[in-house]
Amino acid sequence: MTTLLVIAKEPLPGRVKTRLTPPFTPREAAALAEAALSDTLRVVAATPASRRVLVLDGAPGPWLPSGFDVVPQCAGGLDERLADAFARCDGPALLIGMDTPQVTPELLTADFDGCDAYFGPARDGGFWALGLAAPDPALLRGVPMSTPSTGAAQRARLVGAGLRVRDLPCLRDVDTAADATAVAALAPHSRFADRLAGCTAAVGR
């Protein structure tokens, strides 16, 4: 069975979702990040897995459900931190971030029969999920991160290594206020949608 990895930052004001300010305050942006992370972890907890790991920059809080191992992110760029997360796995692993609270257990149930990798592209040009049947940190190191071509570069790295890639649906990350509204509409019963509704009401007053 697959190890599920979630890479995330502790949702503290001024450290997360800074592109949401404005229109939201740093505290509201952090509250939205916490809700997105909570939704993501809840979905991961409901997905069959051999192990669930939170790769965290910061300290865990009351938003962390039981059943997760918590490991610190290593130093370095995002490519190094992702590579290190996979290096901790000794079998099939699927990694996601904290920016897609609309994700479902069905999307995260990875069956590597007939493929070597899963790739979930994001609408902004990045990727929201990456799965490897045989985790190899070298497949991530040196991939330029946080650019409009990050996803294409990462997928090309997989294909260039001779891996059979299975593509997941393209999802929208929560980076901007427009993203937040669109994602909340896709998951109207999520904690994220509920938290956004409260923030929007406060912004509108």
Side-chain angles (χ1 to χ4, degrees):
M1 200 172 285
T2 304
T3 294
L4 293 177
L5 303 160
V6 180
I7 188 162
K9 284 184 179 181
E10 181 183 1
L12 296 175
R15 293 196 68 240
V16 291
K17 294 296 159 210
T18 55
R19 291 175 61 188
L20 291 178
T21 57
F24 303 108
T25 67
R27 186 173 297 277
E28 288 171 332
L32 289 169
E34 180 178 328
L37 177 56
S38 178
D39 284 329
T40 301
L41 294 174
R42 184 170 51 177
V43 168
V44 170
T47 304
S50 58
R51 185 183 178 211
R52 299 173 184 87
V53 182
L54 175 62
V55 187
L56 185 63
D57 177 2
W63 37 263
L64 178 65
S66 61
F68 282 79
D69 296 329
V70 180
V71 300
Q73 291 184 28
C74 73
L78 181 56
D79 64 319
E80 288 290 342
R81 287 178 277 142
L82 295 178
D84 182 69
F86 277 107
R88 298 171 183 265
C89 302
D90 56 7
L94 179 72
L95 179 145
I96 65 170
M98 60 184 284
D99 300 332
T100 51
Q102 73 273 39
V103 74
T104 64
E106 291 75 21
L107 287 173
L108 299 184
T109 302
D111 179 2
F112 287 94
D113 184 25
C115 74
D116 306 302
Y118 275 85
F119 182 76
R123 181 172 168 174
D124 64 2
F127 58 93
W128 66 269
L130 179 64
L132 297 172
D136 179 359
L139 292 169
L140 293 108
R141 292 192 176 109
V143 174
M145 295 289 165
S146 303
T147 76
S149 60
T150 291
Q154 182 61 74
R155 194 181 188 286
R157 178 72 69 87
L158 302 176
V159 173
L163 303 186
R164 298 166 297 170
V165 179
R166 184 171 295 162
D167 291 306
L168 294 168
C170 183
L171 296 188
R172 185 168 184 166
D173 286 336
V174 175
D175 290 320
T176 66
D179 293 331
T181 299
V183 168
L186 294 172
H189 304 297
S190 64
R191 295 181 185 180
F192 180 79
D194 184 64
R195 191 66 56 84
L196 179 65
C199 291
T200 303
V203 170
R205 284 203 296 265

